[in-house]
């Protein structure tokens, strides 16, 4: 919290990286390993099986706190030392975790204030995990103490090559300690109470504050809570977790020489502004749990992976967790097929990951995750699942040439956490317009066309992008608006989705015809948000074909742009889609509605064509369900369909995975993938 001013989204700097590890070990392949659930005989078998499976990195100790410190200040680390010795003897590198995600029962019993409190005032109990209050000084000190003890004991252990701080930071607590920390954060953000009162608009409903101590986290209240208070509490919560992370990271960095330090992100996770976290980790690491029953799983995973590459500033990142099959938090688990397991892992590698890891190594026999799939299932290694794991470990070795290689993208998709939070505060015009739905809808046609996309923050460096798309950027501050406008001013193409440019950084609505900061750019402007009836509303378009828009409309007027599509009915004559070509040669689009996906595909196709952007394999469409990504000199083609697909590809290519050569076309089996390098004729 101290190191980043509260109002700034730091520029994404390339992470320090884990290149020394991957240059030695090649692509990382591994998993969480929880040896404390097993006997020593099993540990020995585990290491042998890991070696056979090609595992070269395991994350150890994530949930080991109670065993490492059975009583406050009494450490028992010998067993972990034995585990590290065994792993090292087996040639397996260790990502050693600090165990702060799950404090022991003794802590919550002795110091109840270490347990988080919900918005309803309920203090959470131990007996699960993640029950801590991130502002509790006792909890923070004890977390540092156990982390320090681990560093003292193991920082120089040759197995330890990476540090994993906590796990999946994502807690929210409404207790009085968090309230006090929130007040401190607000003082740093606003300086004076006058400024806070202005930003929060506290003249509304008599909410004015006359003393900092009157300010509380949003808690159970009779009716709607101040939206800027809620927005700031979300910003604070992310920063508070980040402060917890950085204090442990700094301790680890001081005590260890050079090992990289990270924690595991959770994709588009609602509780953390990862733009503010990105430069604080040495390697961007992510947990992505593709759902085999969801036909959208490939596109969702791809989007999350492209976010990780964006957070890494283009540098390689690490898929820290995925499931090889079932997870306990889905109601009904279709097993992953071997093809899906392989595709999900290769998708991450294709999109810039230098490693593919799973949760977890051996399937637990007890505890809440005993039905969570693992690399060694209950039935043991003589299983289809484990054979898949081994085969995949072997094939990853054939992909080592992609280590460090980049994915070059000329398209940026803009995403911002504050904007997401503010857009979905209660009491907007419609709860049906959802930011993530819009993100997927605008990303999908690019993904289908095999066009590489980086996910960027609105303040990020947009210089290298010819097409910049902001699917639903509700909140845009002035510098970010200038940044986005710059795309068009230098001849690029900007596409803005509905309900964009609505609010400022305080979530105050910008006054005037919307989108206020962009109306001149898109050649039209609006005056009323008009969520649509369930039946939708017909839209006429000579260019796109007539269609029925759903969910969302806006009463827009044409100024000096073009109406690419125009509403009928209640919004008769109002443009639904605006476009304006600028003198620079650049172009701006504003889509003031939710068109059917096929129409949005056409819009994005036109915008890409204007920007001169084509897919990895050229302008033509890819076969359905086929994904194409160029990473360095390797072309990945992934086929998620249950049927064969043929992809036309001029020239001779060799598949690194199978050594098969293709001339002019590639035959992809059902749920199959190739990693091709061009052969000189
Ligand atoms: C998360 C956690 C793991 C495990 C898995 C289960 O990713 O980090 O500890 O609980 O979920 O899917
Ligand atoms: Zn708290």
């Amino acid at each position: 919290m101290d190191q980043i001013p509260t109002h700034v989204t730091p520029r994404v700097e390339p992470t320090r990286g884990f290149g020394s590890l991957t240059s030695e070990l090649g692509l990382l392949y591994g998993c969480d390993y929880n040896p404390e659930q097993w006997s020593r005989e099993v540990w020995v078998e585990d290491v042998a099986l890991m070696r056979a499976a090609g595992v070269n990195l395991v994350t150890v100790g994530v949930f080991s706190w109670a065993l490492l410190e059975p009583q406050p200040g009494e450490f028992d680390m010998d067993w972990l030392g034995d585990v590290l010795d065994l792993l090292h003897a087996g040639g397996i590198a260790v990502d050693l975790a600090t165990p702060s995600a799950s404090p022991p029962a003794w802590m919550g019993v002795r110091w109840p204030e270490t347990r988080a409190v919900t918005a309803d005032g309920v203090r959470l109990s131990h007996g699960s995990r993640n029950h801590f209050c991130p502002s509790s000084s006792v909890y923070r000190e004890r977390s540092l103490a156990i982390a320090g003890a681990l560093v003292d004991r193991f920082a120089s252990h040759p197995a330890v090559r990476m540090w994993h701080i906590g796990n999946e930071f994502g807690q929210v607590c409404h207790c009085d300690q968090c309230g006090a920390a929130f007040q401190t954060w607000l003082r740093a953000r606003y300086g004076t109470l006058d400024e806070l009162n202005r930003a929060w608009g506290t003249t509304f409903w008599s909410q004015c504050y006359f003393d900092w101590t009157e300010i509380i986290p949003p808690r159970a209240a009779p009716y709607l809570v101040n939206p800027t208070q809620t927005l700031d509490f979300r910003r604070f919560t992310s920063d508070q977790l980040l402060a917890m992370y950085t204090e442990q990271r700094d301790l680890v960095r001081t005590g260890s020489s050079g090992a990289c330090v990270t924690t595991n992100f959770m994709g588009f996770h609602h509780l953390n502004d990862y733009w503010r976290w990105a430069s604080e980790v040495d390697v961007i690491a992510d947990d992505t749990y593709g759902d085999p029953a969801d036909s959208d799983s490939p596109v969702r995973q791809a989007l999350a992976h492209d976010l990780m590459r964006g957070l890494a500033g283009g540098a390689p990142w690490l898929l820290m967790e995925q499931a090889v099959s079932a997870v306990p938090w889905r109601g009904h688990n279709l097993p992953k097929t071997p093809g899906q397991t392989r595709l999900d892992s290769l998708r991450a590698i294709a999109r810039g990951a230098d490693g593919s890891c799973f949760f977890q190594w051996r399937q637990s026999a007890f505890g809440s995750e005993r039905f969570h799939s693992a690399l060694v299932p209950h039935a043991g290694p003589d299983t289809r699942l484990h054979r898949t794991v081994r085969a995949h470990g072997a094939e990853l070795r054939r992909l080592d040439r992609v280590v460090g290689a980049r994915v070059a993208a000329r398209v940026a998709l803009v995403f911002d956490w504050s904007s997401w939070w503010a857009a979905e505060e209660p009491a907007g015009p419609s709860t049906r317009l959802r930011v993530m739905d819009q993100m997927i809808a605008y990303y999908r046609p690019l993904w289908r066309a095999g066009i590489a996309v980086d996910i960027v923050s609105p303040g990020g460096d947009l210089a290298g992008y010819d097409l910049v798309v902001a699917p639903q950027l509700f909140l845009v501050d002035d510098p970010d608006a200038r940044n986005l406008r710059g795309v068009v001013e230098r001849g690029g193409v900007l596409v803005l989705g509905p309900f964009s440019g609505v609010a400022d950084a305080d979530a105050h609505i910008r006054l005037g015809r919307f989108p206020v900061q962009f109306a001149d750019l898109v050649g039209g402007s609006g005056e009323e948000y008009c969520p649509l009836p369930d039946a939708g509303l017909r839209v006429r378009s000579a260019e796109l074909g007539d269609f029925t828009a759903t969910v969302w409309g806006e009463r827009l007027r044409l100024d000096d742009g073009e109406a690419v599509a125009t509403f009928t009915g209640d919004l008769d004559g109002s443009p639904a889609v605006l476009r304006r070509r600028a003198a620079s040669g650049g172009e701006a689009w504003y889509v003031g509605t939710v068109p059917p996906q096929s129409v949005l595909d056409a819009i994005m196709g036109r915008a890409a064509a204007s920007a001169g952007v084509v897919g990895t394999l050229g302008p033509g469409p890819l076969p359905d369900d086929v994904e194409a990504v160029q990473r360095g000199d390797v072309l990945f083609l992934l086929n998620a369909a249950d049927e064969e697909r043929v992809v036309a590809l001029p020239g001779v290519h060799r598949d690194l995975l199978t050594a098969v050569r293709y001339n002019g076309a590639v035959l992809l089996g059902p749920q199959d993938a190739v990693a091709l390098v061009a052969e000189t004729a």
Side-chain angles (χ1 to χ4, degrees), residues 329-409:
W329 38 268
R330 284 192 191 116
H332 187 68
N333 280 277
L334 302 193
K336 268 194 186 177
T337 64
Q340 284 172 320
T341 297
R342 184 170 174 255
L343 278 175
D344 285 356
S345 174
L346 289 173
R347 180 174 299 109
I349 303 292
R351 293 182 180 277
D354 268 359
S356 176
C357 300
F358 292 78
F359 181 87
Q360 63 175 331
W361 170 249
R362 197 178 268 279
Q363 188 169 22
S364 301
F366 45 77
S368 303
E369 292 182 332
R370 62 205 194 283
F371 290 108
H372 196 300
S373 57
L375 301 188
V376 181
H378 292 146
D382 180 17
T383 45
R384 178 179 86 154
L385 191 153
H386 189 71
R387 281 188 285 277
T388 303
V389 166
R390 277 195 190 191
H392 189 54
E395 75 177 346
L396 284 184
R397 292 283 64 81
R398 291 172 227 140
L399 288 181
D400 281 339
R401 73 188 284 155
V402 301
V403 167
R406 303 268 174 145
V407 175

Side-chain angles (χ1 to χ4, degrees), residues 64-400:
S64 303
W65 196 340
L67 288 188
L68 293 169
E69 191 180 3
Q71 289 303 311
E74 236 177 63
F75 297 109
D76 176 8
M77 301 199 160
D78 292 347
W79 67 271
L80 181 55
D82 294 345
V83 170
L84 298 187
D85 291 347
L86 268 175
L87 288 164
H88 185 59
I92 294 159
V94 168
D95 169 29
L96 186 58
T98 66
S100 46
S102 199
W106 54 250
M107 185 168 333
V109 170
R110 195 172 301 194
W111 293 284
E113 75 274 20
T114 60
R115 291 186 271 119
V117 173
T118 67
D120 290 326
V122 176
R123 193 173 287 285
L124 299 177
S125 299
H126 61 271
S128 176
R129 66 175 184 187
N130 300 85
H131 48 282
F132 60 83
C133 160
S135 307
S136 154
S137 53
V138 174
Y139 165 73
R140 296 267 288 257
E141 279 158 21
R142 298 243 149 231
S143 294
L144 285 172
I146 180 86
L150 283 165
V151 169
D152 289 347
R153 174 79 189 258
F154 297 120
S156 55
H157 194 289
V160 178
R161 304 295 301 275
M162 192 184 285
W163 286 83
H164 187 290
I165 306 297
N167 191 56
E168 292 193 333
F169 284 91
Q171 290 65 43
V172 55
C173 176
H174 300 76
C175 79
D176 288 340
Q177 299 165 99
C178 286
F182 185 37
Q183 291 161 7
T184 305
W185 184 94
L186 290 166
R187 271 178 193 256
R189 183 176 175 88
Y190 295 115
T192 64
L193 272 175
D194 283 350
E195 183 54 15
L196 175 132
N197 280 310
R198 183 208 57 75
W200 286 18
T202 54
T203 49
F204 182 82
W205 284 352
S206 183
Q207 292 171 349
C208 305
Y209 295 99
F210 301 98
D211 193 293
W212 291 98
T213 58
E214 294 166 1
I215 301 171
I216 54 170
R219 291 184 178 144
Y223 188 43
L224 299 166
V225 171
N226 183 312
T228 311
Q229 177 186 1
T230 306
L231 174 62
D232 274 346
F233 189 66
R234 291 189 190 283
R235 289 168 167 152
F236 157 78
T237 295
S238 173
D239 278 2
Q240 189 71 343
L241 294 169
L242 179 56
M244 246 189 82
Y245 164 81
T246 52
E247 76 187 3
Q248 287 192 43
R249 179 209 58 197
D250 291 348
L251 181 139
V252 170
R253 269 192 191 158
T254 309
S256 69
S257 55
C260 88
V261 188
T262 191
T263 189
N264 41 351
F265 291 175
M266 293 172 277
F268 289 87
H269 184 67
H270 201 246
L271 285 178
N272 289 305
D273 180 348
Y274 288 138
W275 295 121
R276 291 173 65 78
W277 285 67
S279 55
E280 304 293 335
V281 296
D282 292 338
V283 52
I284 299 287
D286 193 41
D287 298 351
T288 303
Y289 285 85
D291 179 355
D294 176 9
S295 60
D296 263 352
S297 184
V299 65
R300 290 184 191 286
Q301 289 177 56
L303 178 62
H305 297 341
D306 290 353
L307 171 66
M308 293 307 135
R309 203 177 57 250
L311 288 163
W317 55 280
L318 174 61
L319 180 57
M320 187 65 98
E321 290 182 26
Q322 63 196 305
V324 73
S325 193
V327 292
W329 38 268
R330 284 192 191 116
H332 187 68
N333 280 277
L334 302 193
K336 268 194 186 177
T337 64
Q340 284 172 320
T341 297
R342 184 170 174 255
L343 278 175
D344 285 356
S345 174
L346 289 173
R347 180 174 299 109
I349 303 292
R351 293 182 180 277
D354 268 359
S356 176
C357 300
F358 292 78
F359 181 87
Q360 63 175 331
W361 170 249
R362 197 178 268 279
Q363 188 169 22
S364 301
F366 45 77
S368 303
E369 292 182 332
R370 62 205 194 283
F371 290 108
H372 196 300
S373 57
L375 301 188
V376 181
H378 292 146
D382 180 17
T383 45
R384 178 179 86 154
L385 191 153
H386 189 71
R387 281 188 285 277
T388 303
V389 166
R390 277 195 190 191
H392 189 54
E395 75 177 346
L396 284 184
R397 292 283 64 81
R398 291 172 227 140
L399 288 181
D400 281 339

